[in-house]
Amino acid sequence: VPPSIKRFGCMTSVPWLTLIGMDAGGFASLSAEACAAVRAASVIMGPPRHLSVLPELPARKINWPAPFDAGLDDLLARRGSPVTVLVSGDPFWFGAGTQIVRHLDRSEWCALPGRSCFSLAASALGWAIDSSSAFGLHAAPFSRLRPHLCPGRRCLVTVRDGAAVPALAAYLAETGFGESQLTVLESLGSSDQIITTLRADDSISNVFHHPLMVGIDVAGSGQTLPQAAGLSDDWFDHDGQITKAPVRALTLSALAPRPGQHLWDLGAGSGSVSIEWLLSGPAMQATAVEQHPDRAARIQANATRLGVDWLQLVQTDNLAALDGLARPDAVFIGGGLRDQLLDRLWQTIPAGTRLVANAVTIETDRLLTSAHERLGGQLIRLELSQLQTIGRMRGWQAGYPITQWAAIR
């Protein structure tokens, strides 16, 4: 094997950690390879419900404690000694495997995945996985669904426990999608499997038992979140400090979001630019900087309501925030524009970073004109008018002209 090629796996090396995925079918549902690994194990860690269905074995069984990180500390303390860890379903599809192996070198572990809850749910419902949306909401807010709520869409969702089912139904009803059909799937893959179908706006008195999945066949008259940049301003709670929809669309075009990239939104106001940046793809990252407490609270509320609750919010002055932020791929200055900030940014951000700034006042317009002369980039003037009533007739009312500077460091 050439030195540049590394081979890993349970059959090609002897890692100290073996991850085994198990569904509600228990030990009997494991593959022959996984059964053999469990029987050969000297130490087995896992949640009590997994350990309780194992046959009599010589291995020492250790309950994975709560919170999850406590079990991770216990596992890492055993680093180098053979350990088998039981996790639910497929360890790397909304599973615990991802959190475990990020602390390890690739040569230290191997994985034997089980049947994922999503595969089991799709098989029970007859839904195509490739055209259904999958969400792990056992530790995330239901609002993660918001960008995906559209009549005709199908979603497969993990939830925390049985009490989360009526809460999920209430969320769908509140957003105007109470006609959605919910299929609650308990103990998937086991002989005790139960499937219950109901509408989100039904009065739910059922007691559902964990582990479970919910299939959502979305229906209703709720507003569907558009996928084009420049959402209507009424999607955002704001105090007037918002980059208006047409300007926001042009701003996002200049920022040019690319998969997995990180945006700094400086002087974020309502957070509209950073929120739309995050809505452009599931791997996007953004940090909103806003020093006013009321606006910061609105940003967080807007982000959560629109399904991008992972937006990082820093409540401080733009300049004060710069040293503590993770490396950006793009920067937008929506408020607090001044020459000291521009100079510091140009010295701080890495080469290749896209920088976009909008100006409304004469003073900030001069700053951007000067920056363009010194640093290059593109300078454009945006002048927008709206139709307004004038007595019994109508006419165009011009808004403040906006100067936009876009440059690459």
Side-chain angles (χ1 to χ4, degrees), residues 258-395:
R258 296 166 190 169
Q261 292 196 330
H262 181 203
L263 170 73
W264 289 356
D265 185 359
L266 305 181
S270 66
S272 61
V273 170
S274 48
I275 288 171
E276 288 212 46
W277 172 277
L278 293 176
L279 285 170
S280 68
M284 306 301 287
Q285 299 294 321
T287 300
V289 178
E290 176 54 60
Q291 65 177 342
H292 297 285
D294 290 347
R295 291 175 186 162
R298 286 191 189 94
I299 290 170
Q300 195 64 70
N302 284 333
T304 299
R305 188 176 64 258
L306 293 175
V308 290
D309 56 281
W310 63 93
L311 172 66
Q312 295 295 311
L313 178 63
V314 178
Q315 189 180 323
T316 188
D317 173 77
N318 288 340
L319 269 173
L322 296 187
D323 290 334
L325 303 182
R327 174 190 174 114
D329 300 288
V331 177
F332 172 59
I333 308 175
L337 177 62
R338 54 192 190 273
D339 53 0
Q340 187 180 5
L341 177 63
L342 276 179
D343 291 342
R344 178 77 180 284
L345 268 174
W346 202 256
Q347 296 168 6
T348 301
I349 59 178
T353 303
R354 303 183 297 283
L355 175 60
V356 177
N358 292 345
V360 178
T361 67
I362 290 294
E363 290 78 10
T364 51
D365 184 287
R366 289 171 180 162
L367 286 180
L368 296 189
T369 302
S370 174
H372 177 258
E373 291 173 351
R374 291 182 291 111
L375 304 171
Q378 182 181 38
L379 197 67
I380 62 174
R381 174 67 63 87
L382 310 175
E383 298 189 37
L384 301 172
S385 300
Q386 289 187 319
L387 197 63
Q388 299 289 342
T389 300
I390 305 174
R392 291 179 298 174
M393 306 184 77
R394 296 180 297 167

Side-chain angles (χ1 to χ4, degrees), residues 62-390:
I62 302 173
N63 286 335
W64 193 285
F68 181 83
D69 286 348
L72 192 56
D73 292 340
D74 190 359
L75 174 65
L76 294 177
R78 302 170 186 276
R79 194 171 192 167
S81 300
V83 180
T84 294
V85 173
L86 301 180
V87 297
S88 296
D90 186 331
F92 299 101
W93 198 0
F94 298 102
T98 307
Q99 299 177 65
I100 293 173
V101 303
R102 68 184 179 188
H103 300 276
L104 304 174
D105 182 79
R106 181 61 190 86
S107 63
E108 296 183 80
W109 59 272
C110 69
L112 301 172
R115 299 179 298 180
S116 77
C117 54
F118 296 100
S119 295
L120 290 169
S123 296
L125 294 169
W127 291 3
I129 294 180
D130 55 3
S131 58
S132 303
S133 300
F135 300 91
L137 301 184
H138 42 282
F142 296 136
S143 57
R144 292 274 179 97
L145 291 169
R146 191 63 188 88
H148 308 275
L149 294 180
C150 176
R153 189 141 196 185
R154 287 175 166 175
C155 303
L156 297 169
V157 178
T158 66
V159 293
R160 182 185 64 255
D161 52 29
V165 175
L168 172 60
Y171 173 74
L172 291 168
E174 289 166 6
T175 51
F177 295 96
E179 297 172 34
S180 299
Q181 179 175 285
L182 306 186
T183 304
V184 184
L185 307 113
E186 301 173 72
S187 302
L188 274 171
S190 77
S191 58
D192 299 323
Q193 178 173 300
I194 300 173
I195 299 178
T196 305
T197 301
L198 45 88
R199 264 178 52 140
D201 54 8
D202 285 343
S203 177
I204 301 174
S205 58
N206 306 60
V207 177
F208 299 105
H209 299 284
H210 185 72
L212 52 81
M213 289 277 298
V214 181
I216 306 172
D217 205 337
V218 181
S221 56
Q223 278 190 293
T224 297
L225 196 64
Q227 292 187 317
L231 295 177
S232 172
D233 295 346
D234 56 18
W235 281 99
F236 304 94
D237 182 22
H238 62 89
D239 61 359
Q241 293 298 311
I242 182 172
T243 302
K244 299 298 195 308
V247 178
R248 193 181 330 121
L250 292 168
T251 298
L252 285 159
S253 177
L255 287 168
R258 296 166 190 169
Q261 292 196 330
H262 181 203
L263 170 73
W264 289 356
D265 185 359
L266 305 181
S270 66
S272 61
V273 170
S274 48
I275 288 171
E276 288 212 46
W277 172 277
L278 293 176
L279 285 170
S280 68
M284 306 301 287
Q285 299 294 321
T287 300
V289 178
E290 176 54 60
Q291 65 177 342
H292 297 285
D294 290 347
R295 291 175 186 162
R298 286 191 189 94
I299 290 170
Q300 195 64 70
N302 284 333
T304 299
R305 188 176 64 258
L306 293 175
V308 290
D309 56 281
W310 63 93
L311 172 66
Q312 295 295 311
L313 178 63
V314 178
Q315 189 180 323
T316 188
D317 173 77
N318 288 340
L319 269 173
L322 296 187
D323 290 334
L325 303 182
R327 174 190 174 114
D329 300 288
V331 177
F332 172 59
I333 308 175
L337 177 62
R338 54 192 190 273
D339 53 0
Q340 187 180 5
L341 177 63
L342 276 179
D343 291 342
R344 178 77 180 284
L345 268 174
W346 202 256
Q347 296 168 6
T348 301
I349 59 178
T353 303
R354 303 183 297 283
L355 175 60
V356 177
N358 292 345
V360 178
T361 67
I362 290 294
E363 290 78 10
T364 51
D365 184 287
R366 289 171 180 162
L367 286 180
L368 296 189
T369 302
S370 174
H372 177 258
E373 291 173 351
R374 291 182 291 111
L375 304 171
Q378 182 181 38
L379 197 67
I380 62 174
R381 174 67 63 87
L382 310 175
E383 298 189 37
L384 301 172
S385 300
Q386 289 187 319
L387 197 63
Q388 299 289 342
T389 300
I390 305 174

